[in-house]
Amino acid sequence: MKKIIAANWKMFKTSEETIQTLTELNTLTENIPLDNKEILIFPPFTSLEVAAKIVNNPYIFIGAQDLYPAKEGAFTGEISPTMILACGAKWVLTGHSERRHIIKEDNALVGQKTIFALASGLNVVACIGETLEQREEGNLYDVLAEQLQQTLAKLPTPLSPERLVIAYEPVWAIGTGKTASTEDIIEAHTIIRELLKNILGVSAMQTRILYGGSVKPENAHEILSLDNVDGLLVGGASLKADSFAKIISA
Ligand code: 13P
């Protein structure tokens, strides 16, 4: 299974800044052996097309940060999978905690988006994770189970396992500088693997589970070497090409 190193740029970078960062990344990754990795970059919608054109490394792929689950229609402000694919992007994020908590997306909508994206030909990184309050109340298992079950209900079949990736991002570790401890990560990823076995059967063993939350060049290698960690989803430390290149080579 190839490890995934993914960059979520959130609401950062104009298309000009995208060109600058990805031009640097092209150069910095020239000599990094990447045949065992997949690198995903999730820029804002306005940079998707230019990002897909500028990247010249066959191991780097572009994705969108969100989608609307319809082919087209009167949905002001929304973007469809067809439009994302037409930009040259192959991946999409669903259920990121900032969309769940700031934009108030619920599990049912995250599920609809995940299924529609997969059925439309996009590969998906579906994000799940608990708040500090949910963790402290002892609800880690229930929260992850609920999010996964609703996200993965009614998956299109057959679905090859490399097209669906789960990202575990504890909300309290996102953008806070507080990385989850190795024990926290192992515990959550083990729970997710077990839940995936119930939902997906045998393909659960080939479903990649990424960790996200204050990943930086200094901790990337250690986190990547943990059991059931099949990659990283990086926010702040992915915005500068040199910092992201260090994480890629971790
Ligand atoms: P940070 O790496 O900035 O904590 O963000 C993580 C994240 O939300 C990636 O999707």
Side-chain angles (χ1 to χ4, degrees):
M1 244 180 349
K2 288 187 174 189
K3 297 238 179 196
I4 290 182
I5 312 293
N8 175 10
W9 284 359
K10 309 191 178 185
M11 200 174 73
F12 289 95
K13 295 193 193 288
T14 60
S15 35
E16 205 170 308
E17 289 162 342
T18 299
I19 293 171
Q20 206 179 340
T21 308
L22 292 181
T23 306
E24 278 176 55
L25 195 68
N26 280 338
T27 311
L28 290 166
T29 52
E30 249 167 32
N31 298 318
I32 307 179
L34 288 179
D35 38 336
N36 252 330
K37 287 189 178 140
E38 271 177 89
I39 313 303
L40 313 182
I41 315 265
F42 294 92
F45 285 136
T46 46
S47 288
L48 277 183
E49 193 159 9
V50 83
K53 285 199 176 115
I54 204 102
V55 150
N56 67 2
N57 185 315
Y59 300 101
I60 304 183
F61 303 90
I62 302 301
Q65 297 172 16
D66 186 32
L67 73 139
Y68 191 77
K71 190 170 182 300
E72 58 187 6
F75 303 107
T76 302
E78 297 296 330
I79 305 282
S80 74
T82 315
M83 294 167 183
I84 295 168
L85 287 161
C87 287
K90 305 253 181 290
W91 288 81
V92 70
L93 294 176
T94 60
H96 191 278
S97 78
E98 286 144 18
R99 297 206 61 84
R100 291 177 186 270
H101 296 285
I102 303 171
I103 318 283
K104 307 291 178 209
E105 282 189 15
D106 60 12
N107 281 333
L109 181 57
V110 174
Q112 279 175 33
K113 289 185 174 191
T114 303
I115 283 134
F116 197 83
L118 288 167
S120 307
L122 282 166
N123 301 334
V124 173
V125 177
C127 307
I128 59 172
E130 82 289 1
T131 62
L132 189 56
E133 196 184 5
Q134 289 166 331
R135 169 171 278 265
E136 285 175 350
E137 284 168 355
N139 289 334
L140 176 66
Y141 183 92
D142 289 347
V143 171
L144 296 180
E146 179 75 11
Q147 289 178 342
L148 269 183
Q149 271 149 10
Q150 293 218 30
T151 304
L152 306 184
K154 306 190 201 118
L155 281 179
T157 50
L159 179 69
S160 68
E162 69 277 0
R163 294 193 54 217
L164 172 68
V165 172
I166 306 299
Y168 169 64
E169 297 202 310
V171 179
W172 46 273
I174 295 179
T176 58
K178 259 192 229 168
T179 320
S181 69
T182 51
E183 292 77 20
D184 292 338
I185 298 173
I186 291 170
E187 181 194 17
H189 281 233
T190 308
I191 291 173
I192 293 166
R193 184 75 69 202
E194 289 310 308
L195 289 164
L196 286 175
K197 281 185 200 160
N198 295 335
I199 301 169
L200 301 174
V202 283
S203 69
M205 294 314 289
Q206 289 155 276
T207 302
R208 288 168 290 185
I209 308 172
L210 315 185
Y211 169 78
S214 298
V215 173
K216 351 179 223 289
E218 298 76 36
N219 60 21
H221 180 76
E222 185 186 14
I223 299 173
L224 261 185
S225 58
L226 300 175
D227 272 359
N228 286 313
V229 175
D230 307 304
L232 304 168
L233 180 53
V234 189
S238 73
L239 292 171
K240 292 220 162 71
D242 58 346
S243 146
F244 190 55
K246 282 185 193 141
I247 296 175
I248 291 174
S249 46

